[in-house]
Amino acid sequence: MECAMEHLKVFREIEFSKEGLESLIYWRDVKKSGAVFGAGLTILIAMSLFSLISVFSYVSLLALFGTVSFRIYKNVLQAVQKTSEGHPFKEYLDTDLALSQEKVQQLSTVAVAHVNALVTELRRLFLVEDLVDSIKFGVVLYCLTYVGAIFNGMTCVIIAFVALFTLPKVYENNKQSIDAYLELVRSKILEVSDKIKAAVPIGKKAETEKDK
């Protein structure tokens, strides 16, 4: 039970900001990152095997059983030792969980900016503002059809979650080698794109209009 309380404290201490997220995915604090990664992966795997309602119900029941058991345990301990430590969860009950208006506005501004950028980019790709970019987008969509045939949505989420906690750290430890390979791949892609643009008349026309 004490171990469960330690994990609860770990989650409470995590700052869900940009710096907090970076510290998690780069495993600056192994205890915090391990707790978040283990809990998140367990929930995602459970959601892939059972319905969302079942996972929510069982996780909530497990959490409730743990808190009720710990509350009873502390009450019995206080009665035996004749102490008055008070409510074992008082620290968490007194914590202010309300979002400030400034924080909500900040999150809304960021969300709207990302949505607008996404809509603008999709419009540009689907309406073929740049032929080569639209063709590359089509290739990506075609590859995603094969990914969808092999993996379902939840499997992709699990893979993305694992990659979030592994790839950044791998890149940090092997930055020079990976950058060299990425630069080689980028140069090859640019070379192929330039050849396609040179061979396609529409691409030349679009470039001429942009220059004007």
Side-chain angles (χ1 to χ4, degrees):
M1 199 63 66
E2 294 290 345
C3 182
M5 289 301 300
E6 286 296 325
H7 280 82
L8 185 59
K9 289 181 180 179
V10 166
F11 281 107
R12 182 177 177 274
E13 292 171 358
I14 294 171
E15 297 180 0
F16 289 99
S17 59
K18 183 179 178 180
E19 293 77 11
L21 180 61
E22 288 180 356
S23 67
L24 283 177
I25 63 178
Y26 283 101
W27 295 79
R28 304 299 185 216
D29 189 322
V30 178
K31 186 178 180 180
K32 292 182 179 180
S33 298
V36 174
F37 178 71
L41 186 61
T42 300
I43 292 175
L44 289 175
I45 292 176
M47 290 175 62
S48 68
L49 299 175
F50 308 100
S51 68
L52 178 61
I53 297 176
S54 297
V55 173
F56 174 77
S57 300
Y58 281 115
V59 171
S60 300
L61 280 173
L62 183 62
L64 182 60
F65 175 77
T67 54
V68 169
S69 300
F70 187 75
R71 174 70 190 278
I72 295 173
Y73 165 76
K74 294 297 286 187
N75 287 349
V76 172
L77 192 62
Q78 291 175 22
V80 172
Q81 296 179 348
K82 296 181 180 181
T83 59
S84 56
E85 296 179 2
H87 199 292
F89 298 115
K90 188 177 187 307
E91 179 184 358
Y92 305 102
L93 291 172
D94 293 340
T95 302
D96 185 12
L97 299 179
L99 286 175
S100 65
Q101 185 176 359
E102 292 77 10
K103 188 65 175 179
V104 173
Q105 290 177 348
Q106 181 183 1
L107 293 175
S108 300
T109 302
V110 173
V112 169
H114 283 294
V115 170
N116 288 337
L118 176 62
V119 171
T120 302
E121 183 66 15
L122 290 177
R123 180 185 64 181
R124 188 182 74 84
L125 292 171
F126 278 107
L127 298 183
V128 199
E129 179 181 339
D130 186 296
L131 180 62
V132 176
D133 286 345
S134 295
I135 291 175
K136 289 190 289 187
F137 181 59
V139 172
V140 172
L141 292 177
Y142 182 74
C143 293
L144 288 178
T145 61
Y146 284 95
V147 174
I150 299 174
F151 306 109
N152 58 29
M154 185 52 64
T155 303
C156 293
V157 171
I158 294 174
I159 293 175
F161 182 79
V162 174
L164 179 65
F165 278 84
T166 54
L167 295 184
K169 190 63 178 178
V170 172
Y171 175 75
E172 185 181 48
N173 294 336
N174 305 276
K175 189 175 185 302
Q176 293 183 347
S177 301
I178 294 176
D179 283 345
Y181 285 111
L182 289 178
E183 181 61 28
L184 179 61
V185 172
R186 190 181 72 85
S187 62
K188 292 295 182 181
I189 293 176
L190 289 176
E191 182 181 347
V192 173
S193 298
D194 291 339
K195 288 182 179 179
I196 294 176
K197 288 181 179 180
V200 179
I202 298 179
K204 293 180 180 179
K205 183 178 179 181
E207 288 181 356
T208 303
E209 292 178 352
K210 288 182 179 179
D211 293 337
K212 291 182 181 179

